[in-house]
């Protein structure tokens, strides 16, 4: 029997989206995972960035039990998360031209690295400029976005382009415009966003692909273990020491 409660409808919507990205984005997930594996094998470093709630999925792959130790969070002051006051400041900063270039020029990113940029709409100046600038520096870019926004919204970057236009690999989250899965006659606005669920799952699928690809090449993937299991801290200490020049959250 179908569960028609709001909770049941949300789970159904999220599951449907996950099935879509599993089936429709399989090639892109494979390409993104291979790109990360290539970067690790070639001595490059890995970075992830997201603004506002898009940062949640970026943070989920950094310093993560079961994740690649080499994934570092690229931070832009004021836009990573919703801990700034007022919270609307972060949204405003996403629209500031020039901010991304300044951040990248003062970051550890260099040619041969890989950068995952997460932006649901992909329309704001910050993610678009970040992708453009990163590629000009020789950094390979994976974009995670909802491609639908490019056909139904206007870009806020001076070029008129979107994040998807400046990536080596694009992962389409399939999230509908507005990021709200449910409606009720008694509620005037749509509600129940699913972008975090889907985007986090997409990125974990990419990480799994990268780890397996490295193993297929005879390279032990630099994975972290949980510090809450026996031997976890010792394991992670070895990984941190071996890759200390490519892990920036340890310094």
């Amino acid at each position: 029997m179908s569960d028609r409660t709001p909770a049941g409808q949300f789970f159904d919507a999220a599951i449907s989206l996950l099935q879509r990205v599993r089936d429709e984005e399989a090639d892109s997930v494979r390409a993104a995972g291979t790109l990360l594996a290539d970067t690790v094998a070639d001595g490059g470093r890995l970075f992830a960035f997201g603004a506002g709630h898009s940062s949640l999925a970026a943070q989920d792959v950094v310093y993560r039990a079961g994740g690649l130790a080499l994934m570092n969070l690229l931070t832009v002051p004021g836009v990573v998360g919703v801990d700034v006051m007022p919270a609307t400041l972060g949204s405003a900063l996403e629209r500031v031209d020039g901010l991304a270039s300044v951040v990248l020029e003062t970051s550890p990113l260099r040619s041969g690295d890989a950068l995952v940029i997460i932006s649901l709409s992909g329309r704001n100046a910050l993610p678009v400029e970040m992708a453009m600038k990163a590629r000009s520096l020789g950094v390979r870019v994976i974009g995670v976005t909802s491609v639908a926004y490019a056909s139904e919204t206007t870009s806020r970057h001076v070029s008129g382009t979107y994040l998807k236009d400046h990536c080596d690999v694009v992962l389409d989250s399939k999230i509908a415009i507005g990021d709200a899965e449910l409606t009720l006659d008694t509620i005037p606005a749509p509600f129940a966003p699913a972008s975090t669920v889907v985007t986090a799952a997409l990125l974990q699928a990419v990480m799994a692909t990268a780890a397996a690809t490295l193993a297929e090449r005879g390279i032990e993937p630099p994975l972290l273990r949980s510090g809450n299991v026996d031997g976890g801290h010792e394991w992670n200490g070895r990984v941190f020491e071996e890759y200390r020049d490519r892990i920036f959250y340890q310094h």
Side-chain angles (χ1 to χ4, degrees):
M1 181 181 296
S2 177
D3 181 356
R4 301 310 297 166
T5 66
Q9 291 180 58
F10 176 76
F11 280 121
D12 287 345
I15 290 168
S16 177
L17 283 164
L18 289 170
Q19 289 174 331
R20 280 193 67 194
V21 296
R22 178 195 63 193
D23 298 339
E24 298 175 20
E25 296 301 296
D27 289 344
S28 295
V29 168
R30 188 178 307 109
T34 301
L35 188 157
L36 294 185
D38 290 343
T39 304
V40 172
D42 293 341
R45 294 87 58 81
L46 311 179
F47 296 85
F49 168 79
H53 288 95
S54 290
S55 180
L56 295 174
Q59 294 178 56
D60 191 51
V61 295
V62 176
Y63 185 48
R64 190 70 162 85
L68 292 174
L70 304 193
M71 184 61 74
N72 301 278
L73 188 67
L74 179 65
T75 59
V76 177
V79 305
V80 179
V82 291
D83 58 340
V84 294
M85 293 292 288
T88 51
L89 174 61
S91 298
L93 289 173
E94 285 189 71
R95 303 175 190 179
V96 174
D97 292 324
L99 179 57
S101 293
V102 172
V103 168
L104 290 183
E105 288 167 0
T106 56
S107 77
L109 274 159
R110 66 188 184 193
S111 180
D113 291 346
L115 172 62
V116 178
I117 301 176
I118 307 159
S119 173
L120 177 60
S121 72
R123 68 187 296 221
N124 287 311
L126 183 58
V128 176
E129 182 186 332
M130 183 172 288
M132 296 173 70
K133 178 67 175 180
R135 294 183 88 189
S136 74
L137 296 173
V139 174
R140 289 179 289 181
V141 175
I142 297 170
V144 188
T145 187
S146 172
V147 172
Y149 274 83
S151 61
E152 300 183 41
T153 67
T154 56
S155 170
R156 289 177 174 147
H157 188 258
V158 292
S159 67
T161 60
Y162 298 78
L163 171 61
K164 72 174 185 63
D165 300 318
H166 306 284
C167 300
D168 296 275
V169 180
V170 175
L171 298 171
D172 184 2
S173 64
K174 317 293 182 181
I175 299 296
I177 307 298
D179 190 18
E181 295 300 318
L182 303 184
T183 57
L184 279 177
D185 293 340
T186 53
I187 299 178
F191 60 104
S195 60
T196 302
V197 173
V198 176
T199 303
L202 264 173
L203 283 181
Q204 290 299 349
V206 170
M207 297 301 139
T209 301
T213 301
L214 286 168
E216 289 169 1
R217 299 178 184 178
I219 301 171
E220 180 185 335
L223 296 170
L224 294 174
R225 290 180 179 266
S226 171
N228 295 314
V229 299
D230 291 343
H233 287 299
E234 291 76 15
W235 172 281
N236 292 342
R238 176 182 65 82
V239 174
F240 289 150
E241 180 60 30
E242 183 175 351
Y243 292 96
R244 61 187 306 173
D245 60 330
R246 298 157 77 180
I247 298 174
F248 296 93
Y249 52 83
Q250 280 292 99
H251 301 294

